[in-house]
Amino acid sequence: MVDRMIKKSALTGGKYMSVHLRFEEDMVAFSCCIYDGDWKENIAMENARERGWRGKFRRPGRVINPEANRRNGRCPLAPIEVGMMLRGMGFDNTTSLYVASGKIYNAEKYMTPLRELFPLLQTKETITSPEELAQFKGHSSRLAALDYTVCLRSEAFVMTQGSNFPHFLMGHRRYLYGGHAKTITPDKQKMVLLFDNPDIRWDRFRHLMQDIRRHSESKGFGFRKHSGSIYNLPMPDCMCQQAES
């Protein structure tokens, strides 16, 4: 899969970037955030929450505030928001993009604008044959391992939602590339203010997105604090030490 991504990235010298997109139905449902806001979405999300967390969201005193969740950066980025973010950060339609994800909620609707912005977009479903992927079907951890491996070898990795997958991957990439793996961890609280501003012009949006990119790219070794995760920041504990001669 990595070799195929490299071959499909001829326009960028064999380099590709990867995005971990968390927009599966259970993720959207658990966030209690609103996207379309129509009755079909409301029913689908209510049903998904009841299937996955029976009664948890209906307990007395439980307050659900979708607007506050969005302002606080707790809502998963929709595919179109990821596309706007990347284009604003300077990645154009010649960018070779690999999207790592589970089954996207309402994929036909939500993935279409992202594919229009990035026509060279690939997923594990498009870069493999149905026969190759069949042996992994029904095994979510194995499917995630395929995504993990392709993201590991990408030129840049974009994290859109906190979870074990991106945190382990960030640490693995730091270790594998001696600390010099490029990772973009956008500030969603800042971005929401831009996405929800109907008066912002594209040149202003692009300038602010590039500023967010400069501040979010994780380069260099980045030593771990005492209370930090060794999986996310493996330096210097897991790095080989060369004795001075």
Side-chain angles (χ1 to χ4, degrees):
M1 289 173 68
V2 173
D3 289 341
R4 292 173 191 176
M5 277 303 302
I6 292 172
K7 290 177 181 177
K8 290 179 178 293
S9 307
L11 292 176
T12 51
K15 297 178 180 180
Y16 64 92
M17 67 183 305
S18 59
V19 176
H20 186 221
L21 181 60
R22 294 306 314 274
F23 204 70
E24 301 89 351
E25 184 180 69
D26 61 342
M27 190 70 188
V28 175
F30 186 79
S31 72
C32 296
C33 296
I34 295 175
Y35 292 90
D36 273 355
D38 60 13
W39 64 271
K40 289 183 179 180
E41 180 186 281
N42 292 338
I43 292 174
M45 294 300 99
E46 285 286 347
N47 291 339
R49 282 192 282 268
E50 193 60 26
R51 284 195 306 271
W53 306 274
R54 295 185 183 278
K56 178 177 180 178
F57 294 91
R58 297 178 181 272
R59 292 174 184 169
R62 176 85 185 224
V63 177
I64 297 176
N65 191 331
E67 292 184 4
N69 289 347
R70 183 163 174 80
R71 287 195 307 270
N72 293 330
R74 295 175 181 170
C75 293
L77 290 178
I80 182 61
E81 293 174 327
V82 173
M84 290 174 62
M85 174 189 76
L86 295 177
R87 290 299 288 270
M89 288 180 174
F91 300 101
D92 61 23
N93 61 2
T94 65
T95 301
S96 185
L97 183 67
Y98 182 84
V99 174
S101 71
K103 184 179 180 181
I104 297 297
Y105 167 62
N106 203 350
E108 185 176 353
K109 174 181 179 178
Y110 285 109
M111 287 298 290
T112 297
L114 180 58
R115 292 184 184 280
E116 290 175 350
L117 289 171
F118 293 94
L120 300 181
L121 184 153
Q122 301 287 343
T123 65
K124 57 181 172 291
E125 289 80 13
T126 64
I127 208 168
T128 62
S129 68
E131 293 76 20
E132 289 174 323
L133 209 56
Q135 61 185 307
F136 299 96
K137 291 292 186 181
H139 302 280
S140 59
S141 294
R142 297 179 189 179
L143 290 169
L146 296 179
D147 280 338
Y148 186 99
T149 303
V150 181
C151 292
L152 183 65
R153 299 293 178 177
S154 62
E155 176 70 11
F157 171 67
V158 182
M159 171 182 170
T160 64
Q161 188 81 8
S163 66
N164 287 337
F165 183 104
H167 287 143
F168 290 165
L169 186 62
M170 289 165 63
H172 195 169
R173 283 167 55 82
R174 284 187 174 114
Y175 179 84
L176 189 64
Y177 300 112
H180 299 288
K182 186 184 297 183
T183 301
I184 299 175
T185 54
D187 187 327
K188 290 200 295 181
Q189 285 182 285
K190 290 182 180 178
M191 289 200 303
V192 163
L193 297 176
L194 304 181
F195 288 142
D196 293 348
N197 181 357
D199 300 318
I200 194 167
R201 297 177 62 87
W202 175 250
D203 55 351
R204 177 63 176 165
F205 177 85
R206 183 174 57 188
H207 172 77
L208 293 172
M209 279 292 162
Q210 290 175 353
D211 186 56
I212 289 176
R213 177 185 175 183
R214 282 191 293 270
H215 284 85
S216 71
E217 283 186 343
S218 300
K219 295 181 179 178
F221 283 89
F223 288 100
R224 182 175 62 90
K225 296 180 180 179
H226 179 71
S227 59
S229 169
I230 198 169
Y231 299 106
N232 191 11
L233 283 167
M235 282 72 75
D237 312 64
C238 296
M239 307 303 286
C240 296
Q241 302 294 316
Q242 184 174 357
E244 294 183 6
S245 56

